[in-house]
Every structure is written in C-alpha cells, then in structure tokens.
Amino acid sequence: QKEVEQDPGPLSVPEGAIVSLNCTYSNSAFQYFMWYRQYSRKGPELLMYTYSSGNKEDGRFTAQVDKSSKYISLFIRDSQPSDSATYLCADLEGAGSYQLTFGKGTKLSVIP
Amino acid sequence: NAGVTQTPKFQVLKTGQSMTLQCAQDMNHNSMYWYRQDPGMGLRLIYYSASEGTTDKGEVPNGYNVSRLNKREFSLRLESAAPSQTSVYFCASSRGTSNTEAFFGQGTRLTVV
C-alpha cells in the first residue's frame, strides 16, 4: 500500500516561530523523500530532497527522515510571511521509479 | 526561462465535450507527467512518459489519453468530459534517470459543467 499521510492543517504561526511539518509513510520500499512548496494557484516547487535517514539543512529549512519509524519532517526556522504556502511531502521508491507518491499537503500561514 | 508551460490556464467544458491540454518543457528533460489535484485528495498521477516514445498509466488514467508528441511536448486529452474531471491539472517534467526533482507547470483549472 503506497500511502503517505500528512496532517492537512491549516497551521497558523506568528512570524519568527519554528514550524514543524510531518508525514508518515507505509511503504518500506520508499527510498527518496522530498518536500515541495506550493503557493496559492501555482504549481509545486521542490524545496528539498533526501534519501537517507538523518537531517539535511538548507538555509532556514531542515528535512529529517527516520526510516525506522517511517516518519519525515520539515522544520522551518525564523518563519516568514513569505513561507505561507501549502507544503507537500512526496516519496519515491527508487532512482528508477517515476511515480512520486504525494501527501495531501499542509497549509501553513505565517502571521506578521 | 520558461520551464514547463501549460495551456490553457483556465477552461470550462460542457459534459461530453472533448479537449486537449498542452504541455511543453524547455529543459531537455526525458520524462514528463500529468497530475490532477483535487481538494482533500492531493496530487495524483494520471499518465507519465518516461522517455520520448513511451507512455504509461499512473494512478488515475480512466477517461484520459496522452500523446508524447516529441521530447518537449506531452498532451493530455479528455475525449468525453465528465463533471468528475473538474480539477486542477499539472504537467511536470524531470531528467528521468533519477526522478528526485520534478518541475511543475502553473496548472490548468478545468471545470466541467
């Protein structure tokens, strides 16, 4: 069963807060884990991807994967109003796979 | 720097009408995809083309056909539109050999009445 579960929110935080977004997955074959950001009425854009357990940082964003518990997270430090968007987690079985499995997305609002 | 371009951006169809959604990418990507996005359902893959000359069904292919016209272009056709096909449609592309980064178009908002 290829499912990715994600709390749809909405999540509302004050500017400057640390945001934690989470997904769980059920397919042990998933090897690659991605976070996409989607602004209203726009297409998704890739934020980060990782293929191993542990943390990956990119500026204010940290992606965390725990394969033993099938749990993936995205942390946003010093959140800004421009971070207000829907965040989608996505999983991929392997480098040769073409079918991304997306979570349903969490809508985040950062209040100035 | 166009990336992935979809046309049209908006469309209203009557039940039973047909139409083709166009998609073109200028990144020399091998693989292209069509997704639909519905409230509460997330993004679901309709069809994909791993490389020029090949197409494969995704999760929700019924009611749709695709054509990979050349390496740049991948079209989605609705032969007889139904209200259940009201959705936002996204085209995407990726290099293909390691599909860890898909680039999405801006979407087509389709309403079937």
Side-chain angles (χ1 to χ4, degrees):
Chain A
Q1 187 178 6
K2 299 181 181 180
E3 283 194 356
V4 177
E5 297 291 335
Q6 186 175 8
D7 187 338
L11 181 62
S12 184
V13 301
E15 183 176 354
I18 297 175
V19 177
S20 173
L21 303 168
N22 306 295
C23 288
T24 58
Y25 63 94
S26 55
N27 186 355
S28 299
F30 285 142
Q31 295 183 31
Y32 291 82
F33 307 91
M34 286 141 278
W35 284 96
Y36 281 80
R37 177 175 61 195
Q38 185 176 21
Y39 291 114
S40 181
R41 296 184 172 266
K42 302 289 187 183
E45 57 179 341
L46 182 69
L47 266 180
M48 301 178 68
Y49 80 88
T50 182
Y51 59 88
S52 59
S53 282
N55 295 351
K56 182 177 181 179
E57 279 193 31
D58 185 359
R60 295 185 295 110
F61 298 89
T62 299
Q64 186 177 79
V65 175
D66 183 346
K67 289 187 177 182
S68 63
S69 58
K70 299 189 179 70
Y71 199 81
I72 57 178
S73 300
L74 179 71
F75 299 97
I76 307 174
R77 293 184 298 279
D78 187 25
S79 56
Q80 303 295 309
S82 58
D83 295 327
S84 298
T86 296
Y87 290 81
L88 305 161
C89 58
D91 301 343
L92 191 65
E93 283 192 8
S97 175
Y98 295 93
Q99 299 206 33
L100 287 168
T101 301
F102 283 89
K104 295 176 182 177
T106 299
K107 186 172 183 179
L108 171 67
S109 296
V110 181
I111 311 301
Chain B
N1 204 9
V4 178
T5 303
Q6 292 182 235
T7 54
K9 289 186 170 51
F10 302 93
Q11 184 71 49
V12 179
L13 288 178
K14 293 182 179 178
T15 297
Q17 286 185 318
S18 62
M19 80 161 295
T20 299
L21 281 64
Q22 306 287 353
C23 175
Q25 52 91 8
D26 62 2
M27 295 173 283
N28 200 35
H29 283 170
N30 291 311
S31 303
M32 298 185 73
Y33 314 82
W34 277 105
Y35 290 87
R36 60 178 289 174
Q37 188 174 38
D38 302 291
M41 299 295 292
L43 278 159
R44 293 181 293 169
L45 183 64
I46 305 171
Y47 270 93
Y48 67 99
S49 171
S51 60
E52 187 178 355
T54 68
T55 60
D56 284 286
K57 295 178 180 179
E59 182 184 354
V60 288
N62 291 346
Y64 305 95
N65 285 301
V66 290
S67 295
R68 183 73 182 266
L69 304 170
N70 48 56
K71 191 172 186 179
R72 289 187 64 247
E73 298 172 288
F74 188 39
S75 63
L76 178 72
R77 183 161 178 83
L78 286 71
E79 291 290 353
S80 179
S84 61
Q85 294 178 304
T86 293
S87 187
V88 181
Y89 291 85
F90 288 100
C91 177
S93 71
S94 69
R95 285 195 311 274
T97 53
S98 179
N99 184 23
T100 52
E101 184 170 13
F103 292 82
F104 285 79
Q106 296 282 65
T108 295
R109 293 184 173 272
L110 176 67
T111 302
V112 183
V113 298

